[in-house]
Amino acid sequence: MTSTRGLVGLGSLDPSSAGPLTDAGATAFHAVRRALPRITPGGVVVVIGAGGLGSFAVQYLRLLTSARVVVIDTSEARREFARELGAHDTLMVAGDVTAAQIRVMSDDGRGADVVLDFVGVDETISAGVAATREGGAFGLVGAAGGRLERSWFGGLPQDGEVFSFQGSTIADAHSVIELAQSGVIRNEVEKFPFGEVAEAYRRLDKGVLRGRAVVVFDNH
């Protein structure tokens, strides 16, 4: 008998737009859930990259924590979208200046409880680690192939953790679908007919997608 373990009922959700929930939505949920033990009441959590994954993470952090959510993104449109989704603050530059700003934003000046990097280039990794307080966590989810060129001693959050992954579990997918069914999260998608796949990739490459791109097929 074939197992149905991998099937997730959508209920009233539109199948043509629900796909990102089990990909970007579940991956971001996995990151937030993984980091929850390090997040203190009223602490600072940083989300780097407010695209298809980061926009979900902002919503989960607002639902599951009382942290101050700070979003870093180079795009003003995505920073504005992050504020719509509940981000308390947004910043543009990801570098030493940004790390210092994060430390100022934290009540004790120690930095962020958690930094979740959904970009993953050299600059964001370096800034994210620098902004993480002692005992905090830096999560690398973005797969842009960046490196961290610094010594582990004094270069990583003391008594903290650094983790990396791409993907999620079936339990994450179920949780995200339940949240979407209850209407407490927004799933922003842009639909493209099959003949405009190249345009979807162009918009993705230019960083101008508001959420996730979904390709739909015309059955006629």
Side-chain angles (χ1 to χ4, degrees), residues 110-143:
R110 296 170 60 206
D113 289 350
V114 169
V115 176
L116 299 175
D117 183 357
F118 293 97
V119 180
V121 297
D122 290 3
E123 186 180 25
T124 60
I125 295 172
S126 179
V129 170
T132 304
R133 66 169 175 82
E134 292 183 6
F138 172 78
L140 176 61
V141 188

Side-chain angles (χ1 to χ4, degrees), residues 14 23 25 35 97 119 133 159 161 200 214:
D14 180 0
D23 176 19
V97 173
V119 180
R133 66 169 175 82
D159 199 29
E161 62 179 330
V214 174

Side-chain angles (χ1 to χ4, degrees), residues 21 55-56 59 81 84-85 180 183-188 210:
L21 293 171
S55 59
F56 280 114
Q59 298 179 77
F81 183 40
E84 286 181 28
L85 296 175
V184 296
I185 60 171
R186 288 170 58 179
N187 175 30
E188 295 281 335
R210 184 173 171 89

